[in-house]
Amino acid sequence: MKFYSLFILLFVIIIGAKVNAQDNPAPYKFPPHGKNDTIKVASTNDMGEMIPWIPLNEVVIYGVRIFKSPADRAAYNRLRYNVLKVMPYALFAKRRYEQLERDLAVTTNKKDHKKLIKQCDAEIKQMFKTEIKELTITQGQILTKLIDREVGRTTYEIVKETQGGVRAFLYQSVARVVGHNLKSTYNPEEERDIESIITSSGYYQ
């Protein structure tokens, strides 16, 4: 009987200790912080509440193009080849004329103006002599459009601004003989295939 009473008393003590432990749990200890545990983010104050945010890189999703026929696929592949062939020349023209405009903006001397224009013209001519003269008629036509796309002016307008209307007229006359048009403009709505090729080419990443 005494043993039975002692057992009950021991049981009550154990149960009471468990309940007390549950009612008063030990405080949680956070693990030590390391140097990479804190992430600094931008935030916006929205009516007194600071809202953190993290900028994400743009994700461009392209659809898989389905061609109606092997001939359509071959035509698109030829267009892609031609666009990627002449795109570097259009970008070169863009960078060179942007540099020319910056130089002219800080130069007041008319003699220096002419010198800068002549130097730019010589570089463009050198490119024509060494590489662009080997382009096909189709590639030349695409190039004139891409120059308008990149520079914001037609090739004819650029020549007219830098060398005068007479020289621009002569260049246009020669270009028309071989199937080119220096006045060609670029319309992204009409040139959807070219625009798609350029945006997916990686030139602007």
Side-chain angles (χ1 to χ4, degrees):
M1 186 68 178
K2 290 182 179 180
F3 176 77
Y4 180 74
S5 300
L6 183 61
F7 176 78
I8 293 176
L9 179 60
L10 182 61
F11 179 77
V12 171
I13 292 173
I14 294 174
I15 295 299
K18 288 185 177 181
V19 171
N20 185 55
Q22 292 178 356
D23 292 340
N24 301 285
Y28 176 77
K29 294 183 178 181
F30 291 94
H33 291 287
K35 64 179 181 179
N36 296 324
D37 290 336
T38 301
I39 302 176
K40 294 182 179 181
V41 298
S43 62
T44 301
N45 190 333
D46 183 13
M47 300 179 66
E49 180 180 0
M50 300 303 295
I51 302 176
W53 54 271
I54 299 176
L56 301 177
N57 295 329
E58 180 183 4
V59 177
V60 181
I61 300 176
Y62 300 101
V64 178
R65 181 161 184 170
I66 300 176
F67 297 93
K68 294 181 179 179
S69 65
D72 288 342
R73 179 185 293 275
Y76 180 83
N77 288 338
R78 284 196 301 272
L79 177 64
R80 178 177 174 81
Y81 172 82
N82 290 331
V83 170
L84 297 182
K85 174 77 173 180
V86 302
M87 188 63 184
Y89 303 131
L91 292 176
F92 174 82
K94 175 185 179 180
R95 291 191 296 267
R96 190 60 189 86
Y97 282 110
E98 285 178 346
Q99 181 62 48
L100 175 62
E101 290 180 346
R102 288 193 295 268
D103 294 340
L104 293 177
V106 297
T107 305
T108 57
N109 188 287
K110 290 185 178 180
K111 187 176 293 186
D112 291 337
H113 270 228
K114 292 182 180 180
K115 184 178 179 181
L116 290 170
I117 292 173
K118 187 176 181 180
Q119 182 181 356
C120 178
D121 184 53
E123 292 182 19
I124 298 295
K125 281 183 178 179
Q126 182 63 27
M127 185 175 65
F128 269 88
K129 290 179 181 178
T130 57
E131 300 182 51
I132 294 182
K133 69 175 184 179
E134 303 296 334
L135 298 180
T136 66
I137 293 176
T138 300
Q139 291 169 350
Q141 292 170 341
I142 295 174
L143 177 58
T144 55
K145 291 182 179 181
L146 293 186
I147 288 177
D148 179 61
R149 180 186 188 274
E150 297 301 321
V151 182
R153 288 168 298 188
T154 65
T155 306
Y156 182 87
E157 291 171 338
I158 293 173
V159 175
K160 185 177 180 180
E161 290 177 7
T162 57
Q163 302 187 43
V166 175
R167 187 67 63 86
F169 175 78
L170 293 175
Y171 282 7
Q172 172 71 343
S173 300
V174 174
R176 297 297 287 176
V177 171
V178 296
H180 296 290
N181 181 9
L182 302 183
K183 296 181 180 181
S184 296
T185 58
Y186 184 84
N187 186 335
E189 292 297 325
E190 297 177 358
E191 308 290 351
R192 292 183 179 180
D193 286 342
I194 294 179
E195 190 69 16
S196 174
I197 291 169
I198 294 174
T199 55
S200 63
S201 64
Y203 278 110
Y204 298 97
Q205 295 180 357

